[in-house]
């Protein structure tokens, strides 16, 4: 498997890696920064080994930007657009990449043109696996026998980009961040990474089963998709959440319908959901930051308010949590 990303307007190669070598050298990390243009900043963190490529990219462009993304060999792609308004361009049409959604793809020897409009910052995360790596990774997993995506791969039935996608949930968001950041201080990084990859595919399997269950009672199919989009948007932006009015505009629902259907689908109000996300993140920050820093990271303007919310959620303060 060979993978390359080239930014056309500046003739810069963001990354270019051959992952088909005979030797497995473990997990190799690299960071790429493009900052020599007044209108463009691109930051890319990659990790790779034989048959595996993981990338997280941030791009800020004041002019339109085109990325030619090339992959050779049979590959599995799991990608997530957290921010941006990028489009996949073909000879027939332009397809939005779909912010807030996980896209799964199985394909071979592709060259994709991705357009990123000016003044729309882009953040994407993606995992690419060769077919051999994917099958070896999941060969002992019992659940794959019932997974349609896995069975398509076994049979060699390509699943083009967009054929299989899900709104992101907090579990997927957390797992994908763990995989792309890979900041574990351990001698078993590759082993731990493979466990997280298995967890990612299992979580995607659960998402697929959930979508197959059909429309939630009392919510139209059209509104169901809009509520899932709102849910995904909040997961990405819970540190600085939009107002109900702004969120309703983003998903093209009136405010009352948004609040009603969100609670019906997820069993909690939008405000409660945001608090839950912040508190889950807060727990993961314990011991890594001061209480004041945690409050700032999570978007709280008042440290006492953050402490009180944390205590109401967990029954102890952040400081007491450090001693438990």
């Amino acid at each position: 498997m060979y993978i390359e990303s080239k930014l056309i307007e500046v003739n810069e190669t963001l990354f270019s890696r051959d992952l088909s070598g005979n030797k497995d050298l473990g997990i190799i990390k690299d960071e790429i920064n493009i900052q020599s243009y007044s209108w463009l900043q691109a930051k890319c963190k990659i990790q790779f080994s034989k048959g595996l490529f993981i990338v997280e990219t941030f791009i800020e462009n004041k002019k339109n930007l085109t990325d030619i993304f090339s992959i050779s060999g049979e590959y599995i792609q799991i990608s997530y657009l957290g921010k941006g308004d990028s489009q996949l361009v073909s000879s027939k049409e332009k397809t939005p990449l779909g912010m807030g959604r996980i896209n799964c793809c199985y394909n071979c020897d592709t060259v994709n043109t991705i357009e990123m409009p000016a003044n729309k910052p882009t953040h994407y995360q993606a995992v690419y696996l060769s077919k051999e790596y994917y099958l070896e990774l999941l060969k002992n997993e019992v659940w794959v026998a019932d997974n349609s995506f896995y069975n398509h791969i076994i049979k060699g039935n390509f699943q083009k980009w967009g054929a299989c996608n899900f709104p992101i949930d907090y579990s997927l968001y957390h797992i994908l961040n763990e995989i792309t950041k890979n900041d574990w201080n351990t001698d078993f990084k590759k082993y731990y990474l493979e466990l997280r990859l298995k967890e990612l595919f299992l979580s995607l399997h659960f998402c697929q089963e959930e979508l197959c269950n059909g429309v939630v009672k009392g919510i139209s199919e059209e509104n169901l998709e809009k509520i899932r989009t709102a849910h995904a948007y909040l997961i990405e932006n819970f540190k600085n959440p939009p107002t109900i009015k702004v969120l309703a505009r983003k998903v093209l629902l009136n405010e009352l319908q948004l609040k009603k259907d969100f609670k019906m689908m997820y069993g909690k109000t939008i405000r409660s959901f945001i608090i839950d996300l912040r508190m889950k993140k807060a727990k993961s920050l314990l011991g890594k930051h001061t209480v004041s820093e945690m409050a700032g990271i999570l978007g709280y303007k008042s440290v006492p308010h953050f402490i009180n919310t944390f205590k109401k959620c967990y029954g102890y303060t952040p400081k007491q949590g450090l001693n438990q």
Side-chain angles (χ1 to χ4, degrees):
M1 186 171 74
Y2 175 83
I3 188 164
E4 178 182 275
S5 171
K6 188 171 184 178
L7 305 179
I8 297 303
E9 284 76 6
V10 291
N11 194 29
E12 294 268 9
T13 298
L14 201 54
F15 48 77
S16 177
R17 293 290 184 276
D18 185 351
L19 309 170
S20 57
N22 295 323
K23 294 183 179 180
D24 188 348
L25 302 176
I27 303 296
I28 300 173
K29 294 184 180 182
D30 196 8
E31 291 194 13
I32 302 99
N33 287 284
I34 297 176
Q35 297 179 324
S36 52
Y37 303 89
S38 60
W39 62 275
L40 172 64
Q41 289 189 16
K43 183 179 179 181
C44 186
K45 179 179 179 179
I46 62 175
Q47 303 168 69
F48 57 94
S49 64
K50 183 181 177 181
L52 175 67
F53 188 85
I54 300 167
V55 58
E56 180 173 30
T57 299
F58 298 87
I59 294 176
E60 292 189 12
N61 50 302
K62 296 179 182 177
K63 300 179 183 178
N64 292 340
L65 187 65
T66 308
D67 185 359
I68 304 297
F69 210 102
S70 309
I71 310 176
S72 64
E74 289 186 65
Y75 67 91
I76 287 83
Q77 171 186 343
I78 309 297
S79 58
Y80 168 61
L81 180 66
K83 291 182 180 178
D85 195 20
S86 304
Q87 294 184 320
L88 185 66
V89 181
S90 68
S91 58
K92 297 180 180 180
E93 60 183 353
K94 294 183 179 181
T95 306
L97 291 187
M99 187 176 70
R101 302 186 73 85
I102 293 273
N103 274 282
C104 307
C105 163
Y106 164 50
N107 217 329
C108 179
D109 298 331
T110 59
V111 179
N112 291 317
T113 300
I114 301 170
E115 291 185 352
M116 292 169 276
N119 301 310
K120 295 277 188 177
T122 298
H123 170 223
Y124 74 84
Q125 297 161 288
V127 178
Y128 300 87
L129 310 91
S130 68
K131 183 176 180 179
E132 293 77 12
Y133 187 104
Y134 173 84
L135 293 178
E136 179 66 23
L137 178 73
L138 300 180
K139 67 179 181 180
N140 295 320
E141 301 300 306
V142 177
W143 58 266
V144 295
D146 298 320
N147 184 260
S148 60
F149 185 67
Y150 179 87
N151 287 319
H152 280 303
I153 294 169
I154 287 290
K155 295 173 183 177
N157 299 328
F158 292 133
Q159 299 292 292
K160 294 184 178 181
W161 189 93
C164 181
N165 66 81
F166 315 94
I168 199 163
D169 62 17
Y170 185 78
S171 174
L172 285 171
Y173 179 80
H174 179 70
I175 295 167
L176 198 56
N177 272 287
E178 284 272 293
I179 290 171
T180 56
K181 298 189 187 314
N182 191 356
D183 294 326
W184 317 304
N185 295 318
T186 171
D187 294 330
F188 302 100
K189 286 184 179 180
K190 185 178 179 183
Y191 176 72
Y192 187 69
L193 176 59
E194 289 183 346
L195 286 176
R196 299 303 270 168
L197 287 171
K198 290 178 182 179
E199 186 180 8
L200 174 64
F201 284 110
L202 179 58
S203 295
L204 289 170
H205 174 65
F206 290 148
C207 284
Q208 189 175 41
E209 286 190 330
E210 181 182 321
L211 288 181
C212 288
N213 287 335
V215 177
V216 176
K217 188 176 181 180
I219 304 178
S220 70
E221 189 169 357
E222 180 183 359
N223 283 3
L224 183 65
E225 187 62 24
K226 291 178 179 180
I227 296 302
R228 284 175 172 149
T229 299
H231 183 260
Y233 188 83
L234 291 173
I235 288 172
E236 181 68 30
N237 296 279
F238 68 87
K239 297 175 187 177
N240 185 26
T243 63
I244 299 293
K245 185 176 183 178
V246 169
L247 185 61
R249 286 177 179 173
K250 284 187 176 294
V251 299
L252 303 178
L253 272 177
N254 68 62
E255 295 175 46
L256 185 62
Q257 192 73 49
L258 172 62
K259 291 190 287 186
K260 175 178 171 290
D261 286 356
F262 191 97
K263 186 172 182 181
M264 185 182 298
M265 185 166 177
Y266 296 107
K268 58 185 68 177
T269 65
I270 291 173
R271 182 175 179 276
S272 296
F273 179 64
I274 291 169
I275 291 173
D276 285 351
L277 290 175
R278 283 174 158 175
M279 291 302 101
K280 285 178 181 177
K281 183 64 177 178
K283 203 166 187 180
S284 72
L285 296 175
L286 284 175
K288 300 175 184 177
H289 299 274
T290 66
V291 174
S292 180
E293 287 171 342
M294 289 168 64
I297 290 170
L298 296 169
Y300 284 93
K301 296 180 180 179
S302 166
V303 176
H305 181 207
F306 164 64
I307 293 171
N308 289 336
T309 305
F310 189 98
K311 186 174 182 180
K312 186 180 293 185
C313 181
Y314 294 115
Y316 52 84
T317 67
K319 189 173 181 180
Q320 289 170 338
L322 291 172
N323 300 321
Q324 291 192 6

